[in-house]
Amino acid sequence: MGKKIIVTGTPGSGKTTILSKLSRFTVVSLGTEIQNLTKQQVERDRIRSSLSNVNIKSLRAMALREIDARKEDLIIDTHTAIKAGNRYIAGLTAKDMKELHDVKAIIYVDATADDILLRRSMDKSRSRDLDTKQEIKEQRSINMSLATFYMQELEVPLYIIKNKQGKVESAAKEVQAAISDAMSRE
């Protein structure tokens, strides 16, 4: 089994954009892996509303086992929490953590609520809920709390990378440096 880094952030923080700029690492999206395991065609952004919690948990566990079995070093792109109406669904749970071995770090990509609002409004490739600035602040708070939980549960460092509007190249370099640092630690 290869080493793993979990990269997470609030939807719209720029996490996936940053990860698309990394050339030295294999990136696997937990959401895409779950979507690939569904028997029905479900739009990725609608998995949370079209499948039961039991199905989501089962698919997530299967996807994590498949990811964990891969031999190469991996960057796992996932959400800390997914907002579904007035409820939140954990991107990873304590039970899920047991499916992953040799995780070296958590990287949390953060952005201001204003930047997230702007990015979400410009992203026509995704089907995102329209949230207010206050709701995005709430999401960021919950996500940071969960990232801290992941760090504690896995006993690994947490890197927080600020992705300022118009500075994606700089944030990508910081993520690259954090990954290299974490992968080199034993």
Side-chain angles (χ1 to χ4, degrees):
M1 285 181 258
K3 298 174 187 174
K4 293 159 201 75
I5 305 282
I6 297 171
V7 179
T8 188
T10 301
S13 64
K15 164 183 58 69
T16 302
T17 300
I18 288 170
L19 292 177
S20 72
K21 300 192 174 300
L22 304 181
S23 58
R24 296 185 351 208
F25 303 102
T26 301
V27 177
V28 59
S29 165
L30 182 57
T32 300
E33 295 298 312
I34 291 170
Q35 181 185 25
N36 291 341
L37 290 171
T38 61
K39 302 278 188 250
Q40 60 204 39
Q41 283 300 95
V42 177
E43 182 188 346
R44 185 171 162 218
D45 291 322
R46 296 293 169 224
I47 288 173
R48 67 183 177 266
S49 60
S50 61
L51 298 175
S52 72
N53 282 348
V54 171
N55 284 343
I56 290 171
K57 288 176 188 177
S58 175
L59 290 168
R60 185 174 52 215
M62 287 186 340
L64 288 168
R65 282 192 296 275
E66 287 181 14
I67 289 168
D68 194 59
R70 293 174 66 172
K71 303 227 182 297
E72 77 250 66
D73 294 344
L74 295 173
I75 309 305
I76 302 170
D77 176 353
T78 191
H79 292 295
T80 43
I82 301 122
K83 187 173 184 239
N86 290 329
R87 67 188 172 106
Y88 285 88
I89 301 168
L92 293 173
T93 65
K95 185 177 178 182
D96 294 329
M97 300 289 177
K98 292 174 179 46
E99 301 290 346
L100 295 173
H101 299 89
D102 209 13
V103 175
K104 296 298 183 185
I106 307 296
I107 297 175
Y108 183 81
V109 176
D110 194 23
T112 67
D114 287 330
D115 286 350
I116 289 171
L117 267 173
L118 177 64
R119 291 174 190 154
R120 286 183 184 181
S121 70
M122 294 179 357
D123 186 357
K124 303 303 178 207
S125 69
R126 301 291 301 270
S127 177
R128 300 190 195 266
D129 294 333
L130 298 175
D131 293 313
T132 66
K133 186 175 177 178
Q134 188 58 39
E135 288 170 320
I136 291 172
K137 286 180 178 183
E138 175 184 88
Q139 290 169 31
R140 288 177 65 226
S141 176
I142 288 169
N143 288 333
M144 184 61 76
S145 297
L146 281 170
T148 305
F149 164 75
Y150 296 165
M151 170 188 71
Q152 188 247 346
E153 187 72 18
L154 292 169
E155 299 179 27
V156 297
L158 169 64
Y159 298 80
I160 300 172
I161 308 298
K162 303 288 185 184
N163 182 21
K164 297 177 182 151
Q165 190 63 27
K167 303 288 185 184
V168 70
E169 297 298 332
S170 175
K173 286 179 185 171
E174 288 184 54
V175 168
Q176 179 94 24
I179 291 169
S180 295
D181 180 62
M183 289 287 198
S184 68
R185 294 180 184 273
E186 285 305 315

